[in-house]
Amino acid sequence: MLFDWLRKKKKPPKPEKPTDPLAAFDQLIEDLERQAAEVRKSAATLLALKGDLVRSEDRYAKRLEELSKRRGVADEKGDAKVAATLERDRAQTQALLRTTQDSLQRAEQDSKLLLEAAADIGNRVAELRAERESASARLAVGGLVTGALQEQVERFDKVLALDAARDEIERAHALAEIYREERG
């Protein structure tokens, strides 16, 4: 325990990069889908908050109307203490209403921004899916072309071997012809 600081700390292993190009697409698409889900979740939270804030805004507006009416009644009766208390309540309610309206405005802006971000990520995922399908098709075609070319190379090698065998047979015939002429 005393010398734990001398021990080298093991670094967490880095995630291996996929060797398959399609796996790289799949990994990026999965990461973007996860990010989009988090953004949508945050936007939903803000939209729920926005609903609460709208209800609070309505409640504070109604409370202000009620306090104004009560203040009018207190002023008619000439009750200064009640009027002062109601004025203080009105000021507090107005401050709460302003804070709620500011929060509502911020929540609207943030939720709009998050929804736009989720849409952008969704579009990017759709583009990547299309690109992945295209890449998959190109890889499949590339594999077929490579296979066909390999077969063509093998046939070409066979043709070269056949030509070499023909040449060898021709040389053997020519050599036999030379020996025949020498004997003859």
Side-chain angles (χ1 to χ4, degrees):
M1 286 272 179
L2 184 60
F3 295 103
D4 279 346
W5 59 273
L6 289 175
R7 293 184 194 161
K8 290 185 180 179
K9 291 184 180 180
K10 291 183 180 178
K11 293 181 182 178
K14 292 181 182 178
E16 293 182 23
K17 292 182 181 177
T19 55
D20 180 17
L22 295 180
F25 273 103
D26 293 340
Q27 186 177 14
L28 180 57
I29 289 170
E30 183 180 315
D31 291 345
L32 285 175
E33 285 176 337
R34 194 175 306 115
Q35 181 182 2
E38 287 297 321
V39 169
R40 284 191 301 272
K41 181 179 172 185
S42 297
T45 302
L46 284 177
L47 291 174
L49 173 66
K50 183 179 162 186
D52 290 342
L53 290 172
V54 167
R55 286 188 290 279
S56 294
E57 182 181 34
D58 290 343
R59 187 174 61 243
Y60 292 139
K62 289 177 184 176
R63 187 171 175 194
L64 279 175
E65 288 176 20
E66 179 188 329
L67 288 172
S68 293
K69 289 178 187 175
R70 289 175 59 193
R71 171 89 191 270
V73 171
D75 286 341
E76 286 177 9
K77 291 183 178 179
D79 196 352
K81 286 183 179 181
V82 171
T85 302
L86 291 173
E87 180 59 30
R88 188 176 60 246
D89 288 349
R90 187 191 63 77
Q92 289 174 348
T93 304
Q94 278 184 331
L96 288 171
L97 180 62
R98 276 192 303 273
T99 303
T100 302
Q101 288 170 338
D102 291 345
S103 297
L104 180 61
Q105 184 180 8
R106 196 172 334 116
E108 285 176 353
Q109 291 171 348
D110 291 349
S111 63
K112 182 180 176 184
L113 180 67
L114 287 174
L115 290 173
E116 288 173 1
D120 289 344
I121 292 171
N123 291 337
R124 179 72 177 134
V125 167
E127 290 171 3
L128 282 173
R129 284 187 191 281
E131 189 176 346
R132 186 212 182 275
E133 291 303 317
S134 174
S136 175
R138 286 190 305 235
L139 282 173
V141 169
L144 292 175
V145 168
T146 301
L149 288 176
Q150 190 152 6
E151 287 178 17
Q152 190 176 12
V153 166
E154 289 172 4
R155 275 189 306 227
F156 187 70
D157 287 343
K158 289 178 183 177
V159 168
L160 287 178
L162 181 63
D163 283 345
R166 286 181 182 153
D167 289 344
E168 192 63 36
I169 291 171
E170 286 295 322
R171 271 190 241 128
H173 283 298
L175 188 58
E177 193 63 35
I178 292 173
Y179 280 119
R180 220 177 281 134
E181 287 177 6
E182 282 183 8
R183 284 194 176 180

